[in-house]
Amino acid sequence: MSDEIEKLLLVDDDEVFLQVLHRAFKKREFDVYTACTIADALALCQAHYFSKAVVDLKLAEESGLQLIEKLKLQQQDLKIVMLTGYSSISTAVEAIKLGAQNYLCKPADADDILNAFEQGQGNADVEISTQPPSVNRLEWEHIQRVLSEHDGNISATARALGMHRRTLQRKLQKRPVKQ
């Protein structure tokens, strides 16, 4: 292995959070590049070879899931960790199927992210909850699955769920209940 500094791509639309992570990874001796949009991330990926990328699920009106697929097409051996404040089972499954190595819920710090990169395989000893998920959590999971099936299209998802688009938008603005 060469002594070259690892290049890390951080993609998040929250610029404050992005700068916090940027500083944290710089301290850990990574060569860090940041992007707030899919287009910016892809442009950086064409100009540089990255060993690792951290991608936010929700990039303003764009989906980080779409970015994972595009990044893997450009750099097949790129290790990707998806980071999100809007976690759901369906998006976690899709992220892994599209090529992400791991999926983390915010808040996460640089150490959490580095640990996620190091975990190459699943953990069969992970603790299983003794309580079933709440009705609100189940609703959130269902909405996320239908949203994923409609490629993030809010109007099509609202029609499929039989609800008004504004109602769906309000539900999507709320953070999911953890259980």
Side-chain angles (χ1 to χ4, degrees), residues 10-15 18 34-41 59-60 62:
L10 298 174
V11 187
D12 200 307
D13 61 341
D14 180 343
E15 292 189 41
L18 198 59
T34 60
C36 293
T37 66
I38 288 177
D40 291 346
L59 299 168
E62 299 177 304

Side-chain angles (χ1 to χ4, degrees), residues 58 61 139-140 143 146-147 150 152-174:
K58 194 172 183 203
E61 299 300 317
E139 178 187 44
W140 174 260
I143 288 171
V146 175
L147 186 62
H150 290 91
N153 184 312
I154 302 283
S155 296
T157 302
R159 281 191 298 276
L161 291 170
M163 71 174 61
H164 195 278
R165 184 180 49 80
R166 286 191 205 126
T167 302
L168 176 58
Q169 287 174 318
R170 276 193 299 273
K171 287 181 180 284
L172 289 170
Q173 293 298 320
K174 294 181 182 177

